[in-house]
């Protein structure tokens, strides 16, 4: 299967999943599972990019573009589930401060969306040095959010 066909299939699946995020979750546990699933996918693809950036894996432009596209798309999805009432209790690492400081939290979410958009753009340009620089910026946004709003 070609990379472009995989990208189209991925986009369709992610769009369908994205529609779920806009719907109400029947239970707070569903919101927790949804956002954890999104973060797992982001982590998988971010890890694949990290291996390229750290020169542990050879640079493959198509793979880098694909991983950046998935990260960017997924980074737009979990925020409704993060703000779901009661979803800071139970099996979650989200701190209650995310709900209490919603504007601050959502500001960081928008920073991530912007940074991952730029990551996708740099990946499409094909220059590994700019991908590496933008990868570092995305990682910095992730770290800032996790250090503030994630339980350890």
């Amino acid at each position: 299967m070609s990379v472009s066909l995989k990208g189209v299939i991925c986009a369709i699946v992610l769009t369908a999943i994205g529609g779920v995020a806009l719907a109400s979750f029947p239970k707070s546990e569903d919101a927790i599972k949804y956002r954890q699933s999104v973060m797992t996918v982001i982590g998988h693809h971010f890890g694949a990019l990290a291996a390229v950036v750290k020169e542990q894996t050879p640079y493959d432009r198509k793979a880098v573009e694909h991983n950046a596209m998935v990260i960017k798309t997924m980074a737009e999805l979990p925020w409704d589930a993060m703000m779901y009432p009661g979803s800071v209790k139970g099996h979650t690492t989200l701190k209650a401060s995310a709900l209490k400081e919603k504007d601050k939290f959502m500001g960081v979410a928008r920073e991530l969306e912007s940074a991952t958009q730029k990551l996708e753009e740099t990946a499409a340009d094909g220059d590994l040095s700019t991908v590496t620089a933008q990868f570092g910026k995305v990682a910095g946004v992730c770290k800032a959010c996790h250090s503030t709003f994630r339980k350890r």
Side-chain angles (χ1 to χ4, degrees):
M1 184 180 299
S2 74
V3 174
S4 61
L5 180 57
K6 287 180 187 177
V8 169
I9 291 169
C10 185
I12 290 168
V13 170
L14 293 174
T15 300
I17 292 170
V20 173
L22 298 176
S24 264
F25 295 95
K27 301 181 286 186
S28 61
E29 294 85 18
D30 296 331
I32 293 168
K33 288 177 187 174
Y34 176 84
R35 67 184 184 228
Q36 288 173 341
S37 297
V38 170
M39 291 301 179
T40 297
V41 172
I42 290 172
H44 172 79
H45 290 273
F46 204 70
L49 278 182
V52 173
V53 167
K54 294 176 182 178
E55 299 179 355
Q56 298 167 339
T57 302
Y59 173 66
D60 175 340
R61 181 176 176 169
K62 294 288 184 191
V64 168
E65 286 180 40
H66 172 75
N67 286 317
M69 181 271 303
V70 172
I71 294 165
K72 179 255 180 197
T73 302
M74 297 301 283
E76 298 172 352
L77 300 180
W79 312 119
D80 289 338
M82 298 280 191
M83 296 290 103
Y84 192 83
S87 70
V88 294
K89 297 175 184 170
H91 185 67
T92 182
T93 58
L94 183 65
K95 289 182 180 179
S97 61
L99 295 175
K100 292 176 187 167
E101 301 175 48
K102 182 180 178 179
D103 290 341
K104 181 179 178 183
F105 180 80
M106 293 307 293
V108 175
R110 299 302 165 241
E111 285 180 44
L112 180 64
E113 290 175 357
S114 176
T116 58
Q117 173 68 43
K118 289 177 186 167
L119 179 64
E120 183 180 38
E121 292 166 5
T122 60
D125 290 342
D127 179 12
L128 183 56
S129 64
T130 58
V131 170
T132 300
Q134 189 59 35
F135 176 90
K137 291 177 183 177
V138 173
V141 174
C142 292
K143 184 177 180 178
C145 186
H146 289 182
S147 66
T148 305
F149 296 110
R150 187 177 189 190
K151 298 175 196 172
R152 296 185 195 263

